[in-house]
Amino acid sequence: MRRTKGARMSVRVGVIGGGQLARMMIAPAVELGLDVRVLAEDEGMSAALAATAVGDYRDLDAVRAFARDVDVITFDHEHVPQSVLRALVADGVQVHPGPDALQYAQDKLVMRARLAELGVPQPDWAAVHDARELQAFINDHGGRAVVKTPRGGYDGKGVRVVRAGLEAADWFEQVPEGEALLAEEMVSFTRELAQQIARRPSGDVVAYPVVETVQRGGVCAEVIAPAPNATERLAEVAEQIGRQIAEGIGATGMLAVELFETDDERILVNELAMRPHNSGHWSQDGAVTGQFEQHLRAVADLPLGSAAPRAPWTVMVNILGGPAEGTLTSCFAPAMQQHPEAKIHTYGKAPRPGRKVGHINVAGADLDDVVYTARAAAVHFE
């Protein structure tokens, strides 16, 4: 920690990654009196306001130099190599989440194996090393399977639905010798849910309401908080699963557990994210403590805030792509004029088809009105 003139010592939080998640940590860091610093991959990224260094997160020397000036390291993404993370820990750097936990968000095969050890409900799965093994899995699971690259996939990337093992032949050619792809059963689900958990290094845990996520083209398009028609039992099971995973893997900071609600009323774990997550953006304006503030509280080992909703309903709609002509800035005034109740968050990114460039939050007492307003406000930016 460092002492600033006329002030108490301020915790210096270093965020690796300069994307929109780091950007949205800046305001709550200022409000909490934290000194947030960002290691950005390039100049001019979303979190440029707090970028104190530019460098490659895969370069140990660059990351070590950044870590020397902070008290705790956290992340905008989960792609920092384990070798770099473990070197930081060996240097005595506080890293949250640590490498032992983060590995379960970095490698889906490692995640599946750990969830099996914890007894967490999940789809049937297998590590498959070639098209023959994948075909055997497909034959045992109704003629279809979901095949995933264990590392690096997001927003629908690195995921295929296949009916024959040979449909993933090109992926098998790229798999290093001795490694495998992940095959999962094709789950028949009614909707996708997400459960967010915040956990401090000291072990305190806070759970947010389970939410419904709406995917389009493999990308999260909308989130409804809390999940409509969620029974008390469903909410309890989702929270129990989230807490069990957070404590079982030693997660610190925000943990997002993506879930399937199946046709036969089971809840199965799809994927994990160990950082603020798109499914939690609603909490910025819809919860007592938004996920970005909560993540900072958690990694700095400060008391966690309430995750209670501020309104009966909050809906988040992603702004995907942005306007075909002009800038996002030019869209603000008409959206504000027609929908003053909408909260607009943009990421400082240039418009590009399919790109997440911002989101809209609307909270209120009537779900239909809230959904309509959030969608209508987002249209101004499309």
Side-chain angles (χ1 to χ4, degrees):
M1 298 183 185
R2 67 183 176 88
R3 187 176 296 280
T4 54
K5 186 176 180 180
R8 292 184 176 184
M9 285 191 296
S10 155
V11 177
R12 299 167 299 176
V13 179
V15 184
I16 296 180
Q20 65 260 28
L21 302 181
R23 175 190 180 96
M24 287 183 277
M25 292 184 206
I26 297 172
V30 172
E31 294 167 352
L32 292 171
L34 301 175
D35 181 357
V36 66
R37 304 180 180 195
V38 172
L39 173 62
E41 294 87 336
D42 296 295
E43 300 282 353
M45 293 189 68
S46 292
L49 282 170
T52 56
V54 175
D56 189 341
Y57 58 82
R58 297 163 296 187
D59 182 336
L60 177 57
D61 290 338
V63 175
R64 268 183 167 148
F66 176 68
R68 279 197 290 269
D69 293 326
V70 301
D71 300 305
V72 60
I73 289 286
T74 191
F75 310 95
D76 168 86
H77 56 72
E78 291 126 338
H79 306 313
V80 182
Q82 281 283 314
S83 58
V84 173
L85 297 173
R86 294 189 183 280
L88 291 180
V89 172
D91 291 344
V93 178
Q94 294 293 313
V95 179
H96 295 300
D100 287 342
L102 201 59
Q103 64 179 326
Y104 302 114
Q106 292 178 324
D107 190 309
K108 296 179 180 65
L109 279 169
V110 175
M111 174 198 73
R112 287 293 179 213
R114 181 58 179 150
L115 295 184
E117 291 173 351
L118 292 173
V120 172
Q122 58 180 332
D124 197 12
W125 64 279
V128 290
H129 297 82
D130 53 37
R132 179 185 58 80
E133 290 186 357
L134 176 56
Q135 186 63 57
F137 185 88
I138 292 169
N139 293 343
D140 290 340
H141 292 84
R144 288 193 302 170
V146 179
V147 62
K148 298 180 179 180
T149 55
R151 304 184 192 93
Y154 66 96
D155 285 348
K157 299 178 178 66
V159 179
R160 287 181 186 172
V161 177
V162 297
R163 294 179 179 274
L166 290 175
E167 291 180 34
D170 57 327
W171 280 5
F172 284 116
E173 290 174 358
Q174 300 170 28
V175 173
E177 186 175 355
E179 297 189 18
L181 297 176
L182 170 62
E184 296 178 352
E185 68 169 304
M186 189 75 179
V187 175
S188 180
F189 61 90
T190 56
R191 58 177 173 173
E192 294 185 64
L193 305 170
Q195 175 66 61
Q196 282 202 306
I197 298 289
R199 183 175 182 271
R200 294 172 63 182
S202 56
D204 292 342
V205 175
V206 167
Y208 284 78
V210 65
V211 303
E212 179 175 342
T213 64
V214 180
Q215 317 292 318
R216 298 195 183 103
V219 178
C220 180
E222 298 179 2
V223 174
I224 304 173
N229 303 313
T231 64
E232 184 176 342
R233 176 60 179 160
L234 184 150
E236 288 175 353
V237 169
E239 180 176 335
Q240 180 183 6
I241 289 171
R243 287 177 178 271
Q244 183 179 359
I245 293 173
E247 292 168 0
I249 66 176
T252 47
M254 291 300 304
L255 167 70
V257 182
E258 297 180 60
L259 303 162
F260 294 126
E261 183 179 8
T262 68
D263 293 346
D264 55 359
E265 299 183 344
R266 292 178 298 152
I267 301 296
L268 303 178
V269 176
N270 181 19
E271 295 187 355
L272 306 179
M274 260 167 263
R275 50 176 168 75
H277 188 255
N278 203 166
S279 63
H281 288 354
W282 70 273
S283 65
Q284 284 177 288
D285 306 296
V288 173
T289 310
Q291 67 166 345
F292 298 99
E293 176 184 341
Q294 196 78 285
H295 184 73
L296 290 167
R297 286 179 180 232
V299 302
D301 208 12
L302 297 170
L304 300 179
S306 169
R310 290 185 175 274
W313 301 104
T314 302
V315 171
M316 187 281 307
V317 174
N318 272 324
I319 300 171
L320 300 174
E325 297 181 0
T327 65
L328 285 171
T329 305
S330 64
C331 305
F332 271 79
M336 291 174 170
Q337 178 67 35
Q338 295 187 35
H339 306 287
E341 62 273 58
K343 302 291 287 186
I344 303 167
H345 302 269
T346 55
Y347 306 155
K349 292 182 173 181
R352 190 175 69 202
R355 190 182 204 185
K356 291 179 184 175
V357 294
H359 64 271
I360 306 287
N361 285 333
V362 177
D366 185 276
L367 179 56
D368 289 341
D369 287 346
V370 170
V371 170
Y372 172 81
T373 302
R375 290 175 179 172
V379 165
H380 289 277
F381 296 86
E382 294 176 357

